[in-house]
Amino acid sequence: MSGAGAAALAWALLAGALLSPPPVRPQLQLQPRRDRDVQEKEAQFNTTYIDWVDANLLNIYAFNHSVRRNRTEGVRVSVNVLSDHKDRPVLFVVRQKEAVVSFQVPLILRGLYQRKYAYQEVSRTLCQPQTKAEVETQHFYVDVSTLSLNTSYQLRVTRVENFVLRTNERFSFNATAAQPQYFKYEFPEEVDSVIVKVTSAMAFPCSVISIQDILCPVYDLDNNVAFIGMYQTMTKKAAITVQKKDFPSHSFYVVVVVKTEDEVCGGPLPYYPLSKGASPDEPVDQHNRQKTLEVMVSPAITSEAYVRSVLFCLGIFLSFYVLTLLIACWESCRQHKRKGLLAAMDSPNLDTASLLGHSRSIPDSFLNHGPYDSYGYGSFGNGSSSSTEGITDSLGSAEVSYNYVGERSLENVAGRPRMDSLSSIEEDDYDTLADIDYDKNVIRTKQYLCVADLARKDKRVLRKKYQIYFWNIATIAVFYALPVVQLVITYQTVVNVTGNQDICYYNFLCAHPLGNLSAFNNILSNLGYVLLGLLFLLIILQREINYNRALLRNDAHALECGIPKHFGLFYAMGTALMMEGLLSACYHVCPNYTNFQFDTSFMYMIAGLCMLKLYQKRHPDINASAYSAYACLALVIFFSVVGVVFGKGNTAFWIVFSVIHIVATLLLSTQLYYMGRWKLDSGILRRILHVLYTDCVRQCSGPMYVDRMVLLVMGNIINWSLAAYGLIVRPNDFASYLLAIGICNLLLYFAFYIIMKLRSGERIKLIPLLCIISTSVVWGFALFFFFQGLSTWQKTPAESREHNRDCILLDFFDDHDIWHFLSSIAMFGSFLVLLTLDDDLDCVQRDKIYVF
């Protein structure tokens, strides 16, 4: 075919396609629809209408009522479907001036795991449109329709009495999941904030309290009440503080909704019954979940109360600064008078014979008839032998018991003058490192040790060692506090934005907001930890300055007498107290399950540092290093977190923790008993069996270090008992249980220290004695307020609110705030006790101070 013929054929086909008629589509046969009958009826309030409706009928009820500008009345629509057609519900639509409310009956509400619950009786309060006219007649209509064949129903519209709540007046009402209630409250002119309290005699069914702005629609069902405003779950108590500045209309709705299930409030999840052959998606009729509640709105505190409370808090703790300053001035005047008296009585002939340069200043312990000479340390009875004889005997017994080989004795050390014996170890004193290790074994295994035996290291080395405690805890504090502050600010922001007050476990009956903070009073009460911690640091700084000045002028008291002065641990304790205040304040910004460790971490550190400081007093050379101490404390905090997260009802965890607790107690006991002169290696079991055979089987001999053994036996009894208690009872609050272990051990060691101090012929001066007595009293009152338990994150938020209580101090502070006040004072007093406990030894030579 030629090209011209092909082109002509193509054009012919195209023209045929364009000119052909379109295909005929089949016509849809539309069924004629029957028009629905509409019946509109003029209806009256407080009248019950019993009627029916089907797929071809629409009932419309027309209501009208007068609305006044200065008076608000609530309108409530109540319906009840009498027929049982769950698959074809009846739809009720309420058309108002500014809102449309629609709901079906049976009303289907969903619970946990998408469970369905059906309600036949439904009541809803209508949102009231605002009016600018003095009096206005408003109309609204109730439309009733269904796809069912024939359904009977009841309809009743009533006016709500006491729709507007009055200040300080209680109002009782009933509510169900399908019959929620809400009421209006208007702020008086002189009131800037109020607290809405809702109570009930019955814990269940669980309910939700919501505060919403005057807007339509009102979210008053279980599935939408959390969409807007502030809300919290409730069993028996609920309280929400509302501020006028948050509501432009100076009024709000108090919405009360009963939940379909109680699981969120700590109740049991109900059994979901399924009839034979029924679909799992079939709704369950809950019958009557009704709850009786009582609501009262009362004014909150004024701005003057905030100022008064802040001044009260500052006044309490700044008074300690004033008291400290007065005591310091009094002590300075007393020292100047004493120096003047000693200068007047100075005798040049005795200058070379007196250690201090003044014969009247020589303490009794410098003479041959010192207070220790008539007392035999190391036993529970009085002995007639002198300390020198005891030391000689102990050396012999130590060499026999431990088979130390060598001819080297302590004569070259003990025979030196005191200034030399207490100085740092010189290079020519020892030939090898083995000699130094041998010397440690001989010294530390003596039966009767004095402080001079354990204060042989260079003071500069020890000073740097203990200063590391302060720098380490300062570093820990910075890295710990910064993310904590950021996290709690995020928590508070989430609470403010979402309105979900179940996130934070406050004492809502005494939670006073300030700015974006929901409970400013719980934060303010932590100020004492910070101020008193700072004061303690200033006291330590002044003491260190005085001590360094004494060293510069070669004061014999500072060089040769008293407990060796090391201030690093004291600085760490003061810093830990300040950080406890800061982190406790952060925790109380939004206390909950996820940030509990903020409030307890530095409590563990304080307990550990106090124990280390008490041990350091008589064992300065062999105290733990900062790195090992903080590593152990980090392990404690780790167990605290693991115990809270996984320990509740976990038998395996409690078994592992109890075993670790007992093993750690035994290892620490061995370390303390032998002053660190033992080794944990492969031969430990052989040496244990050898000691048992030698001391218990071959010959029955008592312990060499009786006092130490008594302390460690008591400590093991207490710790084993605590481990058994934890394993059997398994307390829910593992963090407090772990803290109790630390405090019990600290108190045991402190009591042992006091008893041994008195047994050794030492005395307690007036200031530490007053600190001990007053601190004990304050601790007693503090613990009383601590155990009041105003909230607990171990339960659901609704259950926690059952423990909430009103403020008890200045209408601003609650029991837990008073615990903050008293515990900060008690901790400060405890630190002062540790600081001043051995001030009576400042004029006693260190080779006359016993170690225990």
Side-chain angles (χ1 to χ4, degrees), residues 347-564:
S347 175
N349 296 329
L350 297 178
D351 281 353
T352 57
S354 173
L355 179 65
L356 301 179
H358 305 288
S359 60
R360 296 305 182 99
S361 65
I362 300 177
D364 292 339
S365 59
F366 275 41
L367 305 177
N368 293 329
H369 53 279
Y372 297 94
D373 292 346
S374 62
Y375 189 84
Y377 174 81
S379 63
F380 285 94
N382 291 334
S384 59
S385 61
S386 65
S387 61
T388 306
E389 295 171 348
I391 293 175
T392 305
D393 295 340
S394 66
L395 285 174
S397 62
E399 292 175 4
V400 172
S401 301
Y402 294 92
N403 297 320
Y404 290 123
V405 182
E407 299 178 355
R408 184 179 179 87
S409 66
L410 291 179
E411 293 178 359
N412 62 332
V413 177
R416 288 183 294 182
R418 284 299 302 160
M419 288 292 291
D420 186 36
S421 64
L422 288 182
S423 63
S424 62
I425 299 173
E426 299 176 1
E427 294 181 359
D428 56 355
D429 286 341
Y430 299 95
D431 296 329
T432 63
L433 292 175
D435 290 338
I436 298 178
D437 192 60
Y438 168 80
D439 185 72
K440 290 180 181 179
N441 288 333
V442 174
I443 292 292
R444 297 182 191 177
T445 54
K446 288 166 37 177
Q447 185 173 4
Y448 305 108
L449 280 171
C450 58
V451 171
D453 297 324
L454 297 179
R456 298 160 55 84
K457 292 184 178 180
D458 192 325
K459 296 180 180 62
R460 295 169 297 177
V461 174
L462 287 180
R463 182 177 181 274
K464 291 182 179 179
K465 172 185 176 180
Y466 292 120
Q467 283 296 332
I468 295 176
Y469 274 96
F470 168 69
W471 291 114
N472 277 11
I473 201 170
T475 305
I476 292 170
V478 172
F479 281 95
Y480 197 97
L482 291 178
V484 167
V485 172
Q486 182 180 7
L487 179 63
V488 296
I489 290 176
T490 302
Y491 271 127
Q492 185 66 74
T493 303
V494 171
V495 171
N496 295 339
V497 171
T498 64
N500 183 4
Q501 299 204 352
D502 283 354
I503 297 176
C504 306
Y505 287 72
Y506 303 117
N507 174 19
F508 287 91
L509 291 176
C510 187
H512 304 298
L514 180 66
N516 291 326
L517 299 174
S518 299
F520 173 70
N521 54 304
N522 294 148
I523 299 172
L524 176 65
S525 59
N526 288 283
L527 184 63
Y529 296 106
V530 179
L531 292 181
L532 294 182
L534 178 61
L535 177 59
F536 184 73
L537 291 178
L538 294 177
I539 293 174
I540 298 302
L541 179 62
Q542 181 62 33
R543 280 217 167 196
E544 185 178 22
I545 291 174
N546 293 337
Y547 177 69
N548 291 334
R549 288 174 179 173
L551 291 179
L552 289 176
R553 63 175 181 265
N554 293 323
D555 190 301
H557 282 173
L559 293 171
E560 298 287 329
C561 301
I563 298 296

